[in-house]
Amino acid sequence: MIYNDIDFNEKKVLITGGAGFIGSNLAFYFQENFPQCEVVVFDKFRSEETFSNGNLKSFGHFKNLIGFKGEVISGDINFDLGLLKNYKFDYIFHQAAISDTTVGDQALMVQTNVNAFKNLLDMAEDMEANMIYASSAATYGDSDVFSIGFESPNNVYGFSKLMMDNVATKQIQKSDIDIVGLRYFNVYGEREFFKNKTASMVLQFGLQLLDGKNAKLFEGSDKIKRDFIYIEDVIQANIRACKPEKSGVYNVGTGSARSFQDIVDILKKELHVERKDEYIPNPFVGQYQFFTQADISLSREFLGYEPRFSLEEGIKSYIEEIKRIHG
């Protein structure tokens, strides 16, 4: 679906983190809708390197880009932005980041998510390229209000994204380019498989059920509620952010909080599974958001964003891909 009247044909687009979940979906959006758009994917790609928590340092995977016809550059945003110095982009979609909320290396988190963003923003200014970047609902942390100005991050990941937003907000005041930060809530959908343990619980529960297992939920999952957003609405927000009424930081969610129990119940209905659920203690108490619900009033007003997929509709659209992944 085309989300605004910009003709991206003949435009040059950079997608950092373009071999990841959201980045690869963006790459194919342009390829499918604007075949003359020049898309460059910049990604660290995965290696065997892991953080101290055992999770991979990069989730970018070539299989997310099978069928992609644009240009691919392997590089680390901390050290390799010089590889892009001879390009002249019209739009930069900055998705690259350490997105694992359980990483405890504060210095590396801030270096990657904040310092590198500042360098990329400087590059965007020099090129006069509009900047659309990934922020996060993790900026709200323990807040009870999910609106701009009510941030209370409870881990270094959320802190780093808030610092990104602060850098962007300061730059907006003196910039001639459009700068839009998108605070993603809980995103799920196609091409997230290679996120491994950090893939959405929609996928993880779906694969558990297809394996013939009981869905493993944290105790009290009927009361743990999040704003779950389907990937297609995230793409919508990114495209609408290319032509904002006003630069700024905006929430990207559905505006509706749903429980993890809801996810399992919808999946069981779509997969025609009747099986009891299994409940386990939550080991992340203190680092865990028990409730999120995006206030999308500003996103509607200044981006023209309107979510198209409820949780039921999103899972229904995703279900065939979950089955394919399971085999």
Side-chain angles (χ1 to χ4, degrees):
M1 183 173 179
I2 307 297
Y3 291 110
N4 60 27
D5 59 3
I6 297 175
D7 183 359
F8 290 98
N9 286 311
E10 311 304 332
K11 301 294 186 183
K12 292 187 178 180
V13 168
L14 171 66
I15 305 172
T16 70
F21 171 30
I22 295 170
S24 60
N25 276 284
L26 273 169
F28 281 103
Y29 173 86
F30 288 112
Q31 180 168 296
E32 291 163 8
N33 292 290
F34 301 97
Q36 302 306 312
C37 179
E38 294 184 43
V39 180
V40 175
V41 160
F42 184 89
D43 199 289
K44 186 176 180 179
F45 286 92
R46 72 173 53 201
S47 66
E48 297 305 311
E49 283 189 278
T50 60
F51 294 111
S52 59
N53 62 8
N55 291 345
L56 289 170
K57 283 191 173 182
S58 176
F59 296 121
H61 202 293
F62 79 91
K63 287 189 176 180
N64 280 334
L65 292 171
I66 296 295
F68 176 62
K69 299 174 183 177
E71 185 175 352
V72 172
I73 298 173
S74 177
D76 187 323
I77 57 171
N78 289 309
F79 313 112
D80 299 323
L81 290 181
L83 295 170
L84 302 170
K85 65 182 179 181
N86 293 325
Y87 291 81
K88 177 71 167 66
F89 296 108
D90 297 292
Y91 298 92
I92 295 175
F93 295 86
H94 179 43
Q95 307 296 320
I98 296 175
S99 58
D100 185 339
T101 61
T102 63
V103 170
D105 188 334
Q106 297 185 25
L108 183 60
M109 183 75 80
V110 173
Q111 177 188 0
T112 305
N113 290 3
V114 185
N115 297 10
F117 171 63
K118 179 64 169 65
N119 292 335
L120 190 64
L121 193 53
D122 289 343
M123 189 182 83
E125 291 283 0
D126 291 341
M127 293 183 179
E128 299 181 329
N130 293 326
M131 166 70 80
I132 301 94
Y133 72 92
S135 183
S136 173
T139 54
Y140 295 113
D142 292 326
S143 177
D144 294 327
V145 181
F146 299 92
S147 302
I148 309 302
F150 291 87
E151 300 82 6
S152 181
N154 57 11
N155 55 41
V156 68
Y157 170 71
F159 170 81
S160 72
K161 288 294 185 177
L162 180 56
M163 294 305 102
M164 284 180 72
D165 292 340
N166 289 348
V167 168
T169 300
K170 184 177 180 180
Q171 188 68 23
I172 286 168
Q173 296 171 5
K174 57 184 179 181
S175 180
D176 292 326
I177 63 172
D178 291 328
I179 302 171
V180 176
L182 300 175
R183 287 185 177 171
Y184 302 148
F185 280 64
N186 286 71
V187 189
Y188 64 97
E190 292 78 0
R191 298 190 177 95
E192 67 167 316
F193 172 71
F194 294 106
K195 290 180 69 179
N196 295 7
K197 294 177 183 177
T198 64
S200 77
M201 292 312 300
V202 175
L203 178 59
Q204 293 188 51
F205 285 141
L207 295 178
Q208 285 174 21
L209 292 168
L210 287 169
D211 275 341
K213 300 174 182 176
N214 296 337
K216 289 188 177 181
L217 292 137
F218 290 143
E219 293 169 348
S221 281
D222 58 329
K223 297 179 179 65
I224 302 174
K225 295 185 176 183
R226 300 275 185 87
D227 194 329
F228 298 100
I229 178 167
Y230 186 49
I231 183 63
E232 184 63 29
D233 278 331
V234 171
I235 300 305
Q236 177 202 164
N238 274 271
I239 301 307
R240 291 190 183 279
C242 293
K243 195 174 182 179
E245 290 291 326
K246 185 169 88 171
S247 291
V249 180
Y250 300 99
N251 287 334
V252 180
T254 65
S256 177
R258 302 293 298 273
S259 72
F260 285 95
Q261 188 67 60
D262 287 339
I263 291 176
V264 171
D265 292 344
I266 295 166
L267 282 165
K268 286 196 291 189
K269 179 182 178 182
E270 291 294 332
L271 294 171
H272 308 292
V273 169
E274 292 185 17
R275 195 177 300 127
K276 289 185 178 180
D277 302 323
E278 183 178 339
Y279 297 93
I280 59 176
N282 186 344
F284 301 113
V285 173
Q287 290 185 299
Y288 200 75
Q289 289 175 297
F290 281 83
F291 182 85
T292 66
Q293 181 170 285
D295 176 354
I296 57 174
S297 57
L298 294 178
S299 311
R300 284 182 167 125
E301 182 177 357
F302 294 112
L303 300 183
Y305 165 77
E306 189 65 49
R308 297 173 54 224
F309 292 84
S310 66
L311 185 60
E312 286 82 359
E313 292 164 335
I315 290 176
K316 186 172 184 177
S317 293
Y318 190 20
I319 206 74
E320 291 305 315
E321 175 68 4
I322 297 174
K323 291 178 181 177
R324 187 196 66 77
I325 290 169
H326 182 263

